[in-house]
Amino acid sequence: MNRYEQAKEMFAKYGVDTEKALDTLAGIPVSVHCWQGDDVVGFDGAGAASGGIQTTGNYPGRARTPEELMADIELAFSLMAGKKRVNLHASYAFLGKDKGKVDRDAYRPEHFAPWVEFAKKIGLDGIDFNPTCFSHPMVKDGLTLSHPDESVRKFWIRHCQACLKIAEYFADEMNSHCLVNIWIPDGLKDVPADRLTPRLRLKDSLDEILSVPYDKKKVIVAVESKVFGIGVESYTVGNNEFYQNYAATRGICCLLDNGHYHPTEVVSDKIPSLLAFYDKVALHVTRGVRWDSDHVVILEDELKEICKEIVRNNATDKVMIGLDYFDASINRISAWVVGERNVQKALLFALLQPSTELKAMQDAANFTEQMVLQEEMKTLPYGDIWDEYLRRGGFAGADWFEKVRDYEKKVLKDRK
Ligand code: RNT
Ligand code: ZN
């Protein structure tokens, strides 16, 4: 009997069907962010990320052109098992002859046609999208949709509306929904004189964005809250309460980024709260170290808890899993692969739990056995199930890094 067969029997003793877990895992899409490859710079000339987010490190090999970024994504994705989507920012537009002439408020679907071609070529499940309301001269005083000046607000409103059109185009081309996630950097460094008015302006701006017709079956709009950013420590216009109420009253959805809350707040506990009210919940899976630092996702307890909430609540088609981190201090392709594989590993871990039994124990107030069983499950050989998952998909196991090292020697080292 091979290791998988042995492990399968061990899990079966706890009533866990490993075959079913493997099947389910293969069907859960993960939306992988394009911005890990170039340190959130984009193609439209914006330069380094701003607006309270920061990429640190100067590891060689940053993708400097669309061709380089696509080649890197292709390699990274080829090392990730399971269904994949690509998550794009508007700043990754291919402007061609429009460069310098067409600004973000007038981007059109055609500026993203190469991405569609690419996504189809590498067999992706879909494309997700984000308006880029940062790293741009029209961000004035650190504000976008909540700026007191109407012309600033209107520019960003037009940008977001343009993004809805582009999203519809992605959905049509890919024959899969497109999540449009709105995150803005708006906030203040120091104690505000007025906390309400900027929020009222943001509310109006969002209403205006959503007033354009778009196909709600194809385009899912989400708003992403945040607690603070670098340089915007005292006040964030789009905080959690603001967006949760906004989303609930407008029939859109919330995106939870697990780097965007106070350090002892956990997204795993928020997911089921939202599932009680919303049909869809979007995630940015990241790893904040002391702040929203966007470190590469590693296999830690909170990631497992997040995945448990998705799996045991039968919410794999309700929770849209996306990644959001950017580390420039290590090989960027490796960063992508490690993070994505860890999300899949955590999902597998969740799929291998005897959830029905554990829930029954909780309801019967049988907390002793519940703890014993939960702890026993932690040391079952789920690594053998993971290896089988990779093997069946034709993916390299632990030696995947060889390919990245090779690519680094052949391709990345020449990028200055
Ligand atoms: C910023 C948000 C936002 C960005 C990306 C690039 O704090 O997390 O999602 O990281 O859109
Ligand atoms: Zn995010």
Side-chain angles (χ1 to χ4, degrees), residues 224 255 257 260 284 324:
E224 178 182 9
L255 183 141
D257 179 313
H260 288 192
H284 268 181
D324 180 17

Side-chain angles (χ1 to χ4, degrees), residues 345-367:
K345 281 182 196 165
L347 284 166
L348 179 62
F349 182 80
L351 287 161
L352 293 172
Q353 300 303 305
S355 296
T356 315
E357 229 175 313
L358 287 166
K359 282 182 187 179
M361 287 174 179
Q362 176 176 318
D363 282 348
N366 196 350
F367 303 124

Side-chain angles (χ1 to χ4, degrees), residues 218-288:
K218 295 179 189 164
V219 176
I220 301 171
V221 179
V223 279
E224 178 182 9
S225 75
K226 189 164 175 172
V227 62
F228 85 97
I230 295 287
V232 273
E233 287 87 355
S234 300
Y235 168 72
T236 295
V237 184
N239 67 353
N240 181 49
E241 291 73 11
F242 176 88
Y243 278 137
Q244 255 176 42
N245 283 290
Y246 186 82
T249 51
R250 303 309 194 262
I252 60 166
C253 109
C254 288
L255 183 141
L256 313 177
D257 179 313
N258 61 311
H260 288 192
Y261 299 89
H262 291 284
T264 57
E265 267 186 279
V266 281
V267 160
S268 53
D269 192 50
K270 297 177 191 301
I271 294 168
S273 303
L274 293 191
L275 286 174
F277 295 95
Y278 293 84
D279 183 45
K280 296 261 184 250
V281 177
L283 299 184
H284 268 181
V285 182
T286 187
R287 179 167 56 105

Side-chain angles (χ1 to χ4, degrees), residues 262-318:
H262 291 284
T264 57
E265 267 186 279
V266 281
V267 160
S268 53
D269 192 50
K270 297 177 191 301
I271 294 168
S273 303
L274 293 191
L275 286 174
F277 295 95
Y278 293 84
D279 183 45
K280 296 261 184 250
V281 177
L283 299 184
H284 268 181
V285 182
T286 187
R287 179 167 56 105
V289 177
R290 303 190 190 281
W291 68 289
D292 182 30
S293 59
D294 288 297
H295 278 65
V296 176
V297 171
I298 58 174
L299 190 58
E300 54 189 355
D301 284 351
E302 171 55 7
L303 180 65
K304 290 183 192 163
E305 284 306 308
I306 288 174
C307 291
K308 278 194 217 163
E309 292 303 333
I310 299 171
V311 165
R312 68 187 174 199
N313 296 320
N314 296 321
T316 52
D317 55 352
K318 293 183 178 168

